[in-house]
Amino acid sequence: MTDKKRPTSGELDEQALFYHEYPRAGKLEIQATKPLGNQRDLALAYSPGVAAPCLEIHKDPAKAAEYTARQNLVAVISNGTAVLGLGAIGPLASKPVMEGKAVLFKKFAGIDVFDIEVDETDVDKFVDAVSVLEPTFGGINLEDIKAPECFQIEKRLREKMNIPVFHDDQHGTAIIVSAAVRNGMELAGKKLEDIKVVASGAGAAALACLNLLVSLGVKRENVWISDIQGVVYEGREALMDEWKSVFAQKTDKRTLDDIIEDADVFIGLSAAGVLKPEMVAKMAKQPLVMALANPNPEIMPEDALSVRDDVVMCTGRSDYPNQVNNVLCFPHIFRGALDVGATAINEEMKLAAVEAIADLAREEPTDVVAKAYGGVTHTFGANYLIPSPFDNRLILRIAPAVAKAAMDTGVAARPIEDFDAYMDKLNRFVFRSGMVMKPIIARAKADKQRVIYADGEDERVLRAAQVVIEEGLATPILIGRPQVLENRCERFGLRIRPGQDFEFVNPEDDPRYRSYVDTLIQLVGRKGVTPEAARTIVRTNTTVIGALALHREEADALITGLEGRFDKHLRDISNIIGCSEGVADFSTLSMLINTTGAYFLADTYVTECPSAEEIAEITHLASEQIKRFGITPRVALLSHSNFGSRPSKTSKKMQEALQMVWKELPDLEAEGEMHGDAALKPEILKRYMPNAHISGPANLLVFPTLDASNIAMNLIKAMTDALHVGPILLGAKKAAHIITPSVTSRGIVNMTALSAVDAQCRK
């Protein structure tokens, strides 16, 4: 990504303000987890029913974990004295950051959060205010509190409170940095006890990094610090404290340039441009440079690599390899701690997280993960020392490791008895978290495809195209008149411009017009399309233009459908692209993502009343598509009948289809014909079919008719506010997809990633 294509500061600010204000202010809300639909529900939720759990907790405080949300509730607390790179902006101004932290806890680990902003800078008063909150929370995450007060506050709260207290600015950063150093030194063939570490910056995060590295085996005498006052040395008085003094060296060296020579590791948590290329040139062989200042690091990777081709880089940025992002660990550390009722997050738990992160980067990818990420992302080496923050295996490695360390060190109040069941619970969360698109997006970025948009002049397509370009998801080609594209980009405040940032096809005047007409006549001349009609179609039908470009291999994928009827677009794609070899007909798959997970529905747009053979084919094609998300499909063939309870024409059709699926795809988990509740609730399924052929809740729901599937999809969307991804066209010879007029620009971005991966799979 070039600087030209990144949002400017002003543009990003405007987008962020809109994001925070609409459709409602802020990023959080509180939702009830129990029904409140009648008088009985109210009596159970409040008076008089609530007295029973109150009395049980009074008799045994541990029961709070069973009867309240405390065991899954964390407080994110700040006094606003060191907010991001904004400084001491105060507790109220810090609230958007704390809400953001809460969102990350929920998104990545399913942990609920109350953000608490405390208007107090006095350490004693702040500690008193926080410590009395212990009955409310299962853990405390301190955030954006300046040093050295943050050290004092955390230490005293840990002494006073019997729940985990974790200052993420310190320990989250330290854990990820330590994992990267561990792997970086292994890659370089160096032992931790032999390396020299130089740090720029001596705030909370930097000191925590150095302390944890010492716990891992780095010798304290081999650690050097330079801050705003220069080298930290014995006898220095300016800006010194008891935590920094631990690393004071007996030396006459006074600058970063003086101490950087022969350093194996540089850790920058200071300011942009502090580390100069000539300093990198003086470092030891195969140095690890962790330039973590944001948004601009202590040295840009390209500048470091210009003087050393053996340097390994980490930054805090997402547009370079080895991003050090605290979201890599803090949600998963708390997940493991809360799940065992930990009374603290101790050094052993932090070290367990370090090992889990480091080990994951070195893991051989599973078949599912390799397929989901295109086989590129998970290769241990200089550009992959630590996992991506969006690797969905992080919670599966870190949380159990932390939980086990808590149990081994005696701080687990509720030890896990069945780790297999615990791992299954975590696995199910991974695909409930809404992260299901992340593997597809990562894979799309790994091998950019040319995606042509039939509705290029639509505002949603233009906004999506800018995101696609910024994120490196694909190379967009827009069908549209260049002056209209130019004017609308300007009107909508977009930076992208036709002919500069993206290619376009001008339907009114394109040099390929005649050859497009000839190609169309060759393809549909015997289907009632005259040469005169072909000339008109290529001027006016943008779906045909896009399909022709795809057929001629001038694009890798097509997205259409924002205007006009679905069946008309499908007819054009059928005439020009056609079905894949061995596929009888087209069908569609729709993905719905809501708070309970990701579900796939088929066929939602094409076949009105599919036969048993068509149902079996739809199931096969849909299952293969689902695997691209890194998800193991579990299929339910749905019906008004439940395992023969109401024999009818459609229920018998679903029974026949199931037999075909079992015969043709013996390894596929599939069951039916069955009710929807049995498909989604294992306890109900077990009641009717104890030996069912699916191991958990179904994630692919195959319907007997188009009416049933389309109605169900739209009802679920409306009732659960589910995000719709699709429809995904199945069976086409090339990657072509017909979206619906109601789609948002976000939906188009998702479909772009899907289309790109679809195109990759066909090469």
Side-chain angles (χ1 to χ4, degrees), residues 442-578:
R443 188 169 177 181
K445 289 181 178 181
D447 181 14
K448 286 202 293 186
Q449 303 292 300
R450 300 164 299 169
V451 178
I452 190 165
Y453 302 83
D455 305 288
E457 295 178 359
D458 190 282
E459 177 183 356
R460 291 165 292 178
V461 170
L462 289 166
R463 291 192 181 281
Q466 178 161 299
V467 174
V468 167
I469 292 168
E470 289 175 355
E471 299 297 325
L473 287 176
T475 301
I477 305 169
L478 274 59
I479 299 175
R481 295 159 292 178
Q483 193 58 52
V484 173
L485 295 172
E486 180 84 30
N487 291 341
R488 291 187 178 179
C489 284
E490 187 172 346
R491 185 199 311 168
F492 302 140
L494 304 176
R495 294 179 310 285
I496 57 173
R497 293 294 182 270
Q500 299 176 31
D501 301 298
F502 61 87
E503 298 178 38
F504 62 89
V505 177
N506 181 2
E508 292 183 344
D509 183 20
D510 193 277
R512 294 164 289 190
Y513 170 72
R514 291 185 181 277
S515 60
Y516 273 30
V517 171
D518 292 341
T519 302
L520 182 61
I521 292 171
Q522 291 171 12
L523 294 170
V524 298
R526 295 183 182 276
K527 296 181 180 180
V529 178
T530 66
E532 182 178 351
R535 286 191 287 272
T536 301
I537 290 170
V538 175
R539 288 284 192 212
T540 59
N541 190 323
T542 56
T543 297
V544 168
I545 296 170
L548 287 170
L550 189 59
H551 172 78
R552 290 157 55 97
E553 298 187 350
E554 295 168 0
D556 302 305
L558 164 66
I559 294 178
T560 187
L562 283 179
E563 294 183 7
R565 286 166 43 187
F566 187 95
D567 58 334
K568 289 186 176 181
H569 295 296
L570 183 61
R571 179 197 62 198
D572 293 332
I573 289 172
S574 177
N575 287 337
I576 297 169
I577 304 300

Side-chain angles (χ1 to χ4, degrees), residues 554-665:
E554 295 168 0
D556 302 305
L558 164 66
I559 294 178
T560 187
L562 283 179
E563 294 183 7
R565 286 166 43 187
F566 187 95
D567 58 334
K568 289 186 176 181
H569 295 296
L570 183 61
R571 179 197 62 198
D572 293 332
I573 289 172
S574 177
N575 287 337
I576 297 169
I577 304 300
C579 287
S580 296
E581 186 176 351
V583 174
D585 200 0
F586 298 98
S587 55
T588 52
L589 178 69
S590 290
M591 178 169 67
L592 296 178
I593 306 172
N594 60 24
T595 55
T596 62
Y599 301 95
F600 298 84
L601 286 66
D603 170 15
T604 47
Y605 280 91
V606 177
T607 313
E608 290 186 11
C609 190
S611 65
E613 290 79 9
E614 288 172 325
I615 291 287
E617 180 176 84
I618 290 168
T619 301
H620 184 185
L621 295 173
S623 298
E624 290 303 310
Q625 179 68 48
I626 291 171
K627 290 176 184 176
R628 294 179 186 173
F629 290 89
I631 297 174
T632 300
R634 291 191 296 272
V635 185
L637 303 188
L638 300 181
S639 173
H640 70 283
S641 173
N642 207 31
F643 303 107
S645 64
R646 293 186 63 187
S648 68
K649 186 176 179 179
T650 56
S651 66
K652 289 178 181 178
K653 174 181 70 176
M654 300 307 276
Q655 290 173 3
E656 292 171 13
L658 179 65
Q659 294 300 321
M660 295 176 191
V661 169
W662 281 349
K663 181 178 180 181
E664 296 169 11
L665 304 167

